[in-house]
Amino acid sequence: MEEKAKKTTRKANLFEAMLSLLFLIAIMAVGIIVFGVDPHIPMFIGVVGAALMALWLGYEWENIEKFMMEGITRALQSVIILIIIGILVGMWIDAGVVPSMIYYGLQILSPGIFFIACVLICSITSLATGSSWGTMGTMGLALMGIGFGLGMAPGMTAGAVLSGAYFGDKMSPLSDTTNLAPAMAGTDVMTHVKFMLLPTGVTYAICLIFFGVLGFLQHTSGAADLSAVEEICGALQGRFTISPILLLPPVVVIVAVALKVPAIPGIALGILSGAILGLIVQPECTLGTLLDTGMYGFVPETGVEAVDDLLEAGGLMGMMFSVSLTILAMMFGGIMEATGQLEVIVSKLLKLVKGPASLVALTEVTCVLSNATMPEQYISIVIPGRMYAEEYRKMGLHPKTLSNALEGAGTVTSALIPWNTCGVYIEETLGIGVAQYGPWAVFNWLMPIMNIVLAVPGLTIAQADGTRGKKKASV
C-alpha cells in the first residue's frame, strides 16, 4: 500500500498551493473581520482545506494525519513552556511579584518626563504580565486620561503607550508571542530573547530619545491629574504587601537566562522563588491559593476595575487559548510542508533573495502582509515561520535569526493595521485610531526597519553555531 501511495502522489503546482493558502486567508478574514470571532475555528477550517488539497494530490488519510502529528510534535516544547508560564503568571500575581513590579513602575511617573514615563511604565507592566493588551487596557487607559489632563496630544500619548506595551510583550518570556516565534523557528524562548536584545535595545533607546525630546517640546506647566495612578497604587497596596524583595523572582529568571539554564528549569526556578516569597510576605497567600492560581489564574477583588482587569490573568487554563491555536496552526503547517505546498510558494518568493539579509527582509515583509491579509497577530508569526524555516536551515543560519525576524515584524506591526484584531482592540480600548497614533507608535514601525538595517552588517543574523554575523567568506 505504501508503494502504491508513493506512486499516486504528486507535487502541488503553484496554483494548488496558493489555493490552500488563499482559502485560509479568506476564511480568516471573514471570521475575524466580518464576524469578529477568535481565529481558532477559521484556522481549523483552513486545516480542512489543506487536508482536502492533500487528498487531491493523492495522499492517503493515514499519511495526512501523520503530517499533522509531526507538525504538532515540532511545537511541543513551546506548548510545555506556555503552560508553565501560565502557572508562573498566576502564582506571581498571588505572591505579589507582579503587583510590586507595577507599583514601583508607577512611581516613576512625572509630568516633566510624561512620554518617557508612559513608555517605561507600560514596558514594566507588559514585561511583568507578558500582555500588551492587558497593559493598554489598564495602564494605557489611565495614562491616556493623565495625558489629556496635561494637555498632551492623544495620538502622541497613545504612541508612547504602544511603544512601551509592545516592547514588553516582545521581550517578556511570559508573552505568548515570545514563545510562539521560537516554536515556529525551531529554537527555545531564552535563546530567542537573548538574541533580540541588540536590535530591540537599539530601537528602544531611539524611542526613549524621541519621546524625551517630544516631551520637552510638548510639556506644559499645568498640574497633572495623577488621581488614576494614585487609585491604582492604593488598590495594589490595599490587596498586597508591596516589597522590593518581591522583585527577586524576576532577577532569578534573568540570572538563569544569563547562566544558560534551559528554559523549562529556568522558569520553574522563577515559580519556586516567587511561591516561597509569597508565602513569607503575603498574608493572604497560602499553598492552596498558589495551587489554585497556578491552575486557573488569579481573580482579584480590589474594588478598582482597572486593577482587577490587569491582574485577572495567568493560570495553566489561561494559556489554553494560545496552546490550542498553536496546535491548530501546526496541523496546517505540517500538511503544507509535508505535501510540498509551502515549498512551491516559497521557491517563487525566494527568487528575490540574494543572501541572509534579503531573507530577513523578505520574512519581515511577509509578516506585515500576513497581519494585513490574515488579520491576527499569531498567524503573522505562524505562517511565515513555517514558510521560511527550511530556507534558513539551508543557508546555515541559526533558528533564532528567523524567530527574531518573526517577532520583529509579526508581533509589533499588528497594531498598525486598522482591521487587524490588535488595531481594532486598541481603537476600542484607547478610543483612538491608527491614523492618529500610528506615526507616534515609533517602536512598532521602527522595529522591523531596524532588524533589516542591522541584518546588512550581520548583526541580526546568526550562523548555525550561534555566532552573530555573516560568514567570514562572505565578508
Side-chain angles (χ1 to χ4, degrees), residues 403-424:
S403 64
N404 175 64
L406 293 173
E407 188 138 38
T411 297
V412 300
T413 63
S414 57
L416 303 177
I417 309 295
W419 53 87
N420 189 283
T421 52
C422 294
V424 171

Side-chain angles (χ1 to χ4, degrees), residues 405-463:
L406 293 173
E407 188 138 38
T411 297
V412 300
T413 63
S414 57
L416 303 177
I417 309 295
W419 53 87
N420 189 283
T421 52
C422 294
V424 171
Y425 173 82
I426 293 166
E427 183 167 7
E428 291 178 348
T429 304
L430 301 184
I432 186 170
V434 173
Q436 291 173 278
Y437 69 72
W440 308 105
V442 179
F443 182 83
N444 298 68
W445 56 257
L446 183 59
M447 189 68 251
I449 296 173
M450 188 59 65
N451 267 337
I452 296 171
V453 170
L454 294 179
V456 176
L459 296 177
T460 51
I461 293 170
Q463 300 305 314

